[in-house]
Amino acid sequence: MSGSGGTFVLVATYPDEATAQQDYQVVKDAHAAGLVGSYDAAVVTKDASGKVHENKDETATRHGAWWGVAAGAAIGVIFPPSVLGAAAAGGVIGGVSGHLSKGMSRSEAKQLGDFIDPGQAGLIVVGESKVEDAIKNAVTRAEKQTAKELDVDPKNVDKTLQETVKEM
């Protein structure tokens, strides 16, 4: 059972990007219908050599200031820079990544990163713990999924984001 005041990250795996995108659409539709609250999500693919490619979604921020960069920040935490196929995260995502990384150990981050095998696609969702069960129920096409509660208060992440933006 999920908590109510924290943050979670969910990683689900799929045989291909199209299937991951279908679940991503279900999550977005659930949000639009008011069934899922604050979250951010991204679809990633891991190529045969293990490089990770993020497939960006330009959807506006989903409640709260930091949710629009949360998935990118989580990707920066769970995948080492050496396996990221895209350019390094910008200052805002980097600042939020630093805060999210405080909520999990390096071994936990590595475990999440290794959850998606080469040749697979993945859906990464970061949200407030109070919406975790709704997200898990919306992700129905995944071959497997795992979730990790982070010892991170969403309000503290929002504060970190605002401070990072001011420093830019």
Side-chain angles (χ1 to χ4, degrees):
M1 182 100 187
S2 62
S4 61
T7 305
F8 77 96
V9 60
L10 174 126
V11 179
T13 64
Y14 302 86
D16 54 55
E17 183 179 352
T19 307
Q21 289 287 354
Q22 290 171 350
D23 261 1
Y24 185 23
Q25 188 60 51
V26 170
V27 172
K28 291 193 295 186
D29 292 346
H31 173 73
L35 303 174
V36 173
S38 297
Y39 80 97
D40 190 30
V43 172
V44 297
T45 54
K46 191 181 270 190
D47 65 26
S49 67
K51 287 267 189 213
V52 175
H53 306 274
E54 179 182 2
N55 302 296
K56 297 200 182 276
D57 180 313
E58 301 305 325
T59 303
T61 302
R62 299 157 184 98
H63 299 294
W66 71 280
W67 295 110
V69 299
I75 290 167
V77 171
I78 64 178
F79 297 109
S82 61
V83 301
L84 287 174
V92 173
I93 291 177
V96 176
S97 289
H99 199 78
L100 288 179
S101 69
K102 295 175 186 174
M104 72 176 96
S105 70
R106 285 185 179 201
S107 65
E108 290 169 326
K110 182 178 180 346
Q111 186 177 31
L112 288 175
D114 291 344
F115 198 71
I116 302 170
D117 294 327
Q120 286 188 318
L123 175 62
I124 298 176
V125 181
V126 180
E128 293 180 278
S129 294
K130 63 186 176 186
V131 303
E132 181 179 355
D133 291 334
I135 296 281
K136 284 181 178 178
N137 291 333
V139 175
T140 60
R141 293 170 180 83
E143 292 179 330
K144 59 184 180 176
Q145 64 176 273
T146 187
K148 166 79 177 108
E149 280 291 319
L150 304 179
D151 187 22
V152 175
D153 186 325
K155 291 176 188 164
N156 291 339
V157 177
D158 191 40
K159 181 179 174 187
T160 299
L161 173 64
Q162 291 173 16
E163 290 171 359
T164 303
V165 169
K166 284 179 189 175
E167 292 172 6
M168 293 181 78

